[in-house]
Amino acid sequence: MIRVLLVDDQHLIRAGLRMLCDAQPDIEVVGEADNGREAITLAARLLPDVVVMDLRMPGVDGITATSRILTERPATRILVLTTFGDDDHLYPALTAGACGFLLKDAPPTELLDGIRRAAVGDSPFSPEVLRRLVQRAVHARPEPSPAMPGLTARERDVLNLVAEGLSNTEIADRLHIGITTVKTHITSLMAKTDSPNRVRLALFARGA
């Protein structure tokens, strides 16, 4: 069971997230907070596996709360869920230690997948956010791709599309394969390239 703490200053948002999570057999909402200060207190008391964190809140904001929670308990996984996907919110959140960054217009299935991925150590990002991260890194260090021995032809196809910032669904559509098959290839690629998450895998393909 994945223990989740919901943090958002809008009651309707929290209620919707709770209903979505409560309908899942493997996710348990252990608490809710409407500001960063309360989130810090509840995270220390409830010990959630994943904190779904809003960024803009009165008083202590989500970035400060993220840093404080991780200082006290580094094993906590903090998944940002926000309306604001610009660099002024993205990079401070990642610097504070957030493991992923999703936008509030994401489909419910993307959020649930993000919670599950965060819980097992992955780094979930909305596709448009991931593209921007990869593009920024590529422009900063445009070296040629390293040699990639031991990869199958299909794994190379998947790796190249990950480097372009495509989501699993987009890769599946492009290659005419199932999403489960895409996930299997990505898991294999992470193991073969020693990449801890999708962003590092994309940077590996680009030689960063």
Side-chain angles (χ1 to χ4, degrees):
M1 186 69 73
I2 303 171
R3 295 168 54 81
V4 174
L5 173 63
L6 303 175
V7 184
D8 197 291
D9 63 337
Q10 297 185 46
H11 178 76
L12 286 177
I13 295 292
R14 296 199 314 274
L17 293 175
R18 176 178 279 277
M19 288 180 61
L20 181 65
C21 292
D22 283 348
Q24 309 306 309
D26 58 336
I27 298 176
E28 176 188 9
V29 176
V30 295
E32 299 180 21
D34 63 7
N35 61 74
R37 187 178 303 280
E38 186 180 12
I40 295 166
T41 300
L42 289 181
R45 178 162 61 86
L46 300 175
L47 305 179
D49 301 307
V50 178
V51 178
V52 178
M53 179 74 76
D54 189 19
L55 292 183
R56 286 194 176 182
M57 294 178 290
V60 177
D61 63 21
I63 292 172
T64 301
T66 294
S67 180
R68 290 274 302 278
I69 290 170
L70 293 175
T71 297
E72 296 296 325
R73 190 167 181 261
T76 306
R77 304 288 288 172
I78 297 186
L79 175 61
V80 168
L81 181 65
T82 180
T83 305
F84 307 97
D86 56 272
D87 289 356
D88 289 341
H89 291 85
L90 171 62
Y91 288 99
L94 296 181
T95 300
C99 72
F101 197 101
L102 298 180
L103 301 179
K104 285 185 177 177
D105 61 358
T109 53
E110 186 174 313
L111 172 60
L112 294 172
D113 182 59
I115 291 173
R116 293 182 176 109
R117 289 172 58 193
V120 297
D122 200 355
S123 298
F125 290 89
S126 289
E128 56 268 46
V129 173
L130 180 61
R131 289 191 189 98
R132 196 161 73 251
L133 282 171
V134 172
Q135 289 168 359
R136 173 71 65 89
V138 168
H139 291 323
R141 299 188 62 185
E143 295 93 346
S145 297
M148 295 179 284
L151 302 188
T152 67
R154 181 58 84 193
E155 285 175 339
R156 290 175 186 273
D157 291 339
V158 172
L159 182 62
N160 288 334
L161 295 179
V162 169
E164 292 180 20
L166 271 64
S167 67
N168 287 352
T169 299
E170 291 170 328
I171 293 173
D173 291 342
R174 182 78 65 87
L175 298 179
H176 305 291
I177 58 179
I179 292 180
T180 300
T181 301
V182 173
K183 291 180 179 179
T184 299
H185 285 314
I186 289 176
T187 299
S188 175
L189 285 165
M190 286 181 177
K192 290 182 178 181
T193 63
D194 196 27
S195 300
N197 55 55
R198 194 183 188 94
V199 173
R200 288 305 309 167
L201 185 61
L203 295 183
F204 175 90
R206 293 290 188 173

